[in-house]
Amino acid sequence: MTDRIYLNAVDADGNALALAVRDGRILAIGAEPPELPQAQVTDLRGHLVLPGFVDGHIHLDKSFVGDRWHPHRPAATLRERLAIEKSELEAAPPIEARADALIAQAAAFGTVAMRSHVDVDATTGLENLHAMMAAREKWRGIVDIQLAAFPQAGVMSCPGTAQLLEAAVREGAEVVGGIDPSTLDGDAEGQLDCIFGIADRLGARLDIHLHEPGMAGVEQIGRIAARTRALGLAGRVAISHAYALGDVDARAQDEAARKLADAGVAIMTNAPGDRAFPPVLRLRAAGVRVFAGNDNIQDSWWPYGNGDMLQRAMLIGYRSGFYGDAELLTALDMASHAGAAVLGLQGYGLLAGNEATFVALPAPNAAAAVAAAPAQRLLFRKGEPVGEAATAFSRPAR
């Protein structure tokens, strides 16, 4: 494979950056490249270089991307929403085709890894999982897709789902999911016994959707943290949404943050537009890993989204009132390094020895990129330019 040198880039802080690449991996990175006499040289002309983005929470099996436009249909209850979703998905193209369209769109924006929650319950069986496994295989080596078996209809309240969650992990899902153990399932201890038991027996990760509000939700967070500590699952458990942390006062937030940090439980937020959400900076200051995902994209739940994690970082910053550069970089970290850590990705980031996969953007630094979310993305995978990047910098650098 040809040695490559990428010159005249800038790093997250706006400092001069050059990368030397050999055999698809970063040989050296810094202000000046090493001497590689036979290297192919590319002038990046002042573009910002960032690692590929990580979508820590997406629902590939639900999206209508790649299908016709579906006008949003209102619903008064969760069960009504689930019924609408079921009817709309039955009339939509196959999961694999819709998932493929959304993965392609996200990859074009620079996403290199994602955790996709996939409906697994007694009403759907493992059909969605098998379709997503096929889609994952198609994108292997381009987008790293981690699958979470998600019991959308409940665990204890949907008989047979517990057995299917275990079967899903045995067949290839890396993560076992949960959802609102009290308000949806009506049996918090039963659901947590089930999903923590599967994770403990099979070595899976856990990611629990938690929409339960107020102090009831905070108490649920405490239960999840306690079980995580008891089983020694630090770093392997995440709570998605955790809306309750946006409902309660600072004292309750700090107490919950202490429990989460002590247990090693991460929090995912997409900063939803119509709901209070966890206080990102307060949690991170307490030692809680907070990461980001797009969640639903153009599906029965809401019509928004396009799969762009840099835009998601901008929205998180916007809703959180992030104005300073350090705060904007926090939003970017949530869409990159923090998500990579939660997914357990190895060799992620712009470091010597890691895979030379990165995104080049027309921005003076990373804070500016988050604030503006420029649409132009030039992709480099394993040291090689992809798509438009192959011609965008075609003129000789020397």
Side-chain angles (χ1 to χ4, degrees):
M1 185 176 290
T2 304
D3 288 349
R4 287 183 175 270
I5 291 177
Y6 292 100
L7 296 173
N8 298 328
V10 297
D11 66 12
D13 296 322
N15 300 318
L17 184 70
L19 299 93
V21 177
R22 173 172 289 166
D23 296 331
R25 294 193 170 273
I26 298 173
L27 179 65
I29 182 168
E32 295 291 337
E35 288 293 329
L36 296 176
Q38 304 302 316
Q40 183 173 335
V41 179
T42 301
D43 185 346
L44 292 182
R45 301 173 193 160
H47 277 61
L48 168 68
V49 167
L50 296 175
F53 306 119
V54 178
D55 191 330
H57 186 119
I58 192 170
H59 292 267
L60 292 171
D61 60 332
K62 296 176 181 290
S63 176
F64 296 127
V65 170
D67 190 17
R68 61 179 176 81
W69 174 254
H70 287 242
H72 185 70
R73 294 166 58 185
T77 66
L78 175 60
R79 294 296 182 185
E80 186 179 344
R81 170 61 56 213
L82 293 175
I84 290 172
E85 178 186 56
K86 185 176 180 64
S87 67
E88 290 197 317
L89 288 176
E90 285 176 348
I95 290 172
E96 190 175 343
R98 290 182 285 106
D100 182 70
L102 181 50
I103 297 166
Q105 192 163 290
F109 284 121
T111 290
V112 297
M114 56 178 64
R115 173 179 286 178
S116 178
H117 295 260
V118 183
D119 283 9
V120 172
D121 56 49
T123 65
T124 60
L126 299 180
E127 180 180 346
N128 290 24
L129 177 68
H130 293 155
M132 282 306 312
M133 290 173 68
R136 173 172 66 179
E137 192 61 33
K138 178 178 178 179
W139 285 91
R140 189 174 298 279
I142 300 173
V143 180
D144 187 331
I145 303 173
Q146 187 177 91
L147 299 179
F150 173 48
Q152 175 76 82
V155 179
M156 311 309 292
S157 59
C158 188
T161 295
Q163 293 77 10
L164 283 165
L165 289 176
E166 181 157 344
V169 174
R170 292 187 183 280
E171 292 201 22
E174 297 93 339
V175 186
V176 59
I179 180 170
D180 297 338
S182 293
T183 58
L184 178 65
D185 246 3
D187 183 358
E189 296 302 326
Q191 182 182 136
L192 296 179
D193 281 347
C194 171
I195 63 177
F196 273 90
I198 294 170
D200 189 37
R201 288 194 303 276
L202 302 184
R205 296 175 184 271
L206 270 163
D207 195 325
I208 302 166
H209 283 59
L210 189 63
H211 314 96
E212 296 175 4
M215 286 306 299
V218 169
E219 289 168 6
Q220 201 75 267
I221 288 169
R223 294 187 192 101
I224 293 167
R227 286 173 178 263
T228 301
R229 289 191 65 183
L231 290 173
L233 296 178
R236 301 183 65 83
V237 178
I239 300 174
S240 287
H241 306 305
Y243 293 152
L245 292 174
D247 294 336
V248 297
D249 62 24
R251 181 176 179 179
Q253 290 173 345
D254 290 342
E255 178 63 18
R258 182 189 62 77
K259 293 177 180 178
L260 290 165
D262 288 349
V265 176
I267 295 291
M268 190 294 304
T269 186
N270 65 326
D274 64 345
R275 188 66 173 80
F277 60 95
V280 173
L281 297 182
R282 196 176 196 97
L283 292 176
R284 285 173 62 107
V288 181
R289 178 166 281 140
V290 186
F291 66 112
N294 274 301
D295 198 18
N296 299 78
I297 295 176
Q298 295 181 29
D299 59 14
S300 295
W301 295 81
W302 56 55
Y304 294 102
N306 59 7
D308 182 359
M309 281 305 295
L310 183 60
Q311 184 184 84
R312 179 58 51 186
M314 181 271 288
L315 290 170
I316 289 169
Y318 180 86
R319 285 226 60 208
S320 299
F322 291 174
Y323 301 133
D325 282 13
E327 294 172 332
L328 293 169
L329 291 176
T330 292
L332 178 62
D333 181 75
M334 291 169 61
S336 54
H337 289 277
V342 172
L343 269 64
L345 300 182
Q346 301 297 312
Y348 173 83
L350 299 177
L351 295 172
N354 285 353
E355 184 177 285
T357 295
F358 56 92
V359 184
L361 309 167
N365 56 51
V370 173
Q376 185 188 33
R377 311 291 165 84
L378 299 167
L379 311 179
F380 299 81
R381 188 172 295 120
K382 298 179 181 177
E384 300 292 323
V386 176
E388 186 182 346
T391 57
F393 305 111
S394 59
R395 293 194 297 275
R398 296 176 183 169

